Amino acid sequence: MNELAGKHIVLGLTGGVACYKSAELCRSLIKAGATVQVVMTESAEQFITKTTMQSLSGRPVYTSQWDDRVANNMAHIELSRQAHAVLIAPCSADFAAKLIHGRADDLLSLMCLARPRDAVPLLIAPAMNREMWAHPATQRNMAQLEADGAVVLGVGQGEQACGETGDGRMLEPDSITEAVVGHFQPKLMGGQSVLITAGPTFEALDPVRGLTNRSSGKMGFALARAARDAGARVTLVSGPVALATPDGVDRVDVDSAQQMFEAVTSRLETATVFIACAAVADWRAEQVSEEKVKKQVGKAPPTMQFVENPDILATVAKNPRAQSGDLFCVGFAAESHDLMTNAKAKRERKGVPLLIGNIGPSTFGRDDNTLLLVDAKGTREIGPDSKLALSRLLIQDIAQRLKPPAKP
Ligand code: CTP
């Protein structure tokens, strides 16, 4: 997706082993549609060459404030005025300390100081040893950077170049690109608290078998990302799926419909939007066998009795806060045929203001989809498009229907 089309990013590299990931980051930003101008400190040059970064960005790399390639010899002004954002990745502990004091004795720090703060945001991806990261001085500096208006993207956890394990790794290139994309999204859901269900449920039949469906969770996870990027606090209640949690999203893993029901109803109080995207199993086994049900040679297959699961969406829609409009409920309908008729009927049956219809068999597991938005006034189709692009449109649509968030 070309989500950074038209955006010009100054990518600043400071000294750290994580500079090897900045090469991949540069490619990832360009793949997302951005143009990238690399600026490196002298220490960064110890870890990666200008040649590599020039080849990947397709532009000469700047390292010195005395670079006379810039006509007026003011690289710090010229480069920062053209940028939509300055991204420092990796940002060393030393460079962060420098920034908070407004020091400006190299091109990159000079540029950060000289940039027009309202127009050119500063995003920071720190990278350092876990002890350095945990040190009160570093934590104080990060807090000060945020207080000064920078966006600190956080750090990853895991094995470090020094052989130790802990917090302080630079985030992976794709996560950083995702954060940059998110940063540019309009904050239409600021102050809202969004609760989303996603994926299938799994209803055990015995210790090794169960009843489930082919939902991959991709639509619900894309919605979580879009709602987060729109400025909402997001909780994602997910059935068993193989997807990474979007950064900053609070995830609750469940298996069965009953567990999903409990996870949702216990988190309703603070939610202002509920999106039921999960493909919840309608039935569960009346009796779950404690031991594996064995095949009996020569005998008829076992018969099973099922009971109905609670309807999460219909229950939430009856909640007084949903009825008063303080909790906006959105349902999904995965149909195999007669989408329009089924989706309209389902919206009324579930008692929700907005229901999103889609054709289950043609979207389960895929990255794209087509959605039919059904409300009291009529229907509107969006797509085909990627699930993320559709989610952004859907979040925009939902945002317009919401009451403004209550003042804290
Ligand atoms: N849903 C739910 N709890 C259930 C069943 C469904 O919250 N026990 C929600 C889904 O998350 C979705 C909507 O209700 O938002 C419709 O789900 P769907 O499976 O399409 O509808 P059903 O009511 O199960 O109807 P049917 O399977 O007969 O089409």
Side-chain angles (χ1 to χ4, degrees):
M1 286 204 356
N2 250 8
E3 291 205 291
L4 290 178
K7 300 286 188 237
H8 183 63
I9 311 289
V10 168
L11 174 60
L13 276 62
T14 70
V17 182
C19 278
Y20 81 92
K21 292 197 210 169
S22 305
E24 197 63 50
L25 173 60
C26 180
R27 295 192 72 171
S28 156
L29 291 166
I30 289 171
K31 211 167 138 201
T35 48
V36 176
Q37 174 61 60
V38 176
V39 176
M40 291 167 64
T41 64
E42 216 179 298
S43 306
E45 285 189 83
Q46 298 289 323
F47 293 92
I48 192 165
T49 65
K50 283 201 293 188
T51 313
T52 300
M53 296 311 293
Q54 176 170 355
S55 309
L56 294 174
S57 64
R59 287 165 183 260
V61 170
Y62 285 82
T63 54
S64 163
Q65 66 271 47
W66 313 121
D67 195 320
D68 60 12
R69 282 174 297 177
V70 179
N72 64 4
N73 215 309
M74 293 190 199
H76 61 295
I77 304 289
E78 293 307 307
L79 299 180
S80 65
R81 297 304 182 271
Q82 295 157 8
H84 293 100
V86 174
L87 168 65
I88 313 284
C91 180
S92 66
D94 181 58
F95 196 76
K98 209 168 170 180
L99 285 179
I100 66 147
H101 289 292
R103 289 189 53 200
D105 60 354
D106 70 296
L107 176 60
L108 191 57
S109 57
L110 179 60
M111 210 183 63
C112 291
L113 195 66
R115 78 186 206 285
R117 272 178 302 139
D118 291 340
V120 186
L122 176 62
L123 288 88
I124 287 183
M128 64 199 73
N129 163 271
R130 67 191 175 104
E131 297 289 1
M132 292 168 72
W133 174 249
H135 196 286
T138 303
Q139 290 304 311
R140 209 166 46 234
N141 292 347
M142 291 299 156
Q144 187 58 53
L145 279 172
E146 285 188 326
D148 290 347
V151 181
V152 178
L153 301 177
V155 291
Q157 201 267 342
E159 210 173 298
Q160 304 199 306
C162 53
E164 296 179 5
T165 303
D167 288 339
R169 283 169 59 96
M170 186 169 90
L171 294 176
E172 294 307 313
D174 284 347
S175 301
I176 297 177
T177 300
E178 191 180 310
V180 175
V181 169
H183 184 79
F184 286 118
Q185 300 305 314
K187 304 299 169 216
L188 301 172
M189 285 233 176
Q192 303 288 348
S193 182
V194 181
L195 182 60
I196 301 173
T197 64
T201 64
F202 180 87
E203 312 297 329
L205 298 176
D206 68 16
V208 297
R209 303 187 184 90
L211 199 63
T212 188
N213 58 65
R214 294 176 55 220
S215 167
S216 61
K218 285 181 177 175
M219 190 72 218
F221 276 60
L223 276 166
R225 182 175 161 188
R228 173 206 65 186
D229 289 348
R233 277 189 310 279
V234 183
T235 304
L236 183 60
V237 178
S238 176
V241 296
L243 295 175
T245 315
D247 286 335
V249 167
D250 187 17
R251 173 168 172 178
V252 184
D253 283 320
V254 297
D255 276 329
S256 66
Q258 187 61 38
Q259 289 169 350
M260 188 174 272
F261 178 82
E262 281 155 25
V264 166
T265 48
S266 64
R267 286 171 178 80
L268 272 185
E269 217 169 289
T270 50
T272 55
V273 179
F274 174 57
I275 309 177
C277 192
V280 185
D282 288 325
W283 310 285
R284 64 177 183 276
E286 190 172 35
Q287 288 267 296
V288 179
S289 172
E290 275 179 27
E291 291 178 354
K292 185 181 176 194
V293 179
K294 302 297 284 180
K295 185 171 62 183
Q296 306 278 345
V297 180
K299 289 200 180 155
T303 54
M304 290 187 179
Q305 295 294 322
F306 292 98
V307 288
E308 202 169 309
N309 275 324
D311 191 319
I312 306 166
L313 178 61
T315 308
V316 174
K318 289 195 190 95
N319 180 296
R321 289 185 59 243
Q323 294 287 320
S324 70
D326 288 341
L327 171 64
F328 188 82
C329 291
V330 183
F332 266 74
E335 305 295 338
S336 61
H337 59 283
D338 292 339
L339 181 60
M340 178 90 73
T341 316
N342 282 321
K344 280 181 174 172
K346 201 167 276 183
R347 188 188 78 82
E348 296 202 357
R349 198 168 74 239
K350 303 266 177 180
V352 291
L354 179 64
L355 187 120
I356 316 301
N358 59 172
I359 298 291
S362 55
T363 185
F364 278 174
R366 295 180 55 119
D367 289 323
D368 51 5
N369 200 355
T370 299
L371 303 178
L372 183 72
L373 279 60
V374 185
D375 66 11
K377 292 199 190 115
T379 61
R380 177 164 78 96
E381 190 175 281
I382 53 173
D385 212 330
S386 73
K387 288 183 176 175
L388 182 58
L390 292 173
S391 295
R392 296 212 193 281
L393 291 174
L394 195 51
I395 290 295
Q396 277 171 27
D397 182 283
I398 294 170
Q400 285 168 9
R401 299 169 190 258
L402 300 180
K403 287 185 175 175
K407 296 255 178 315

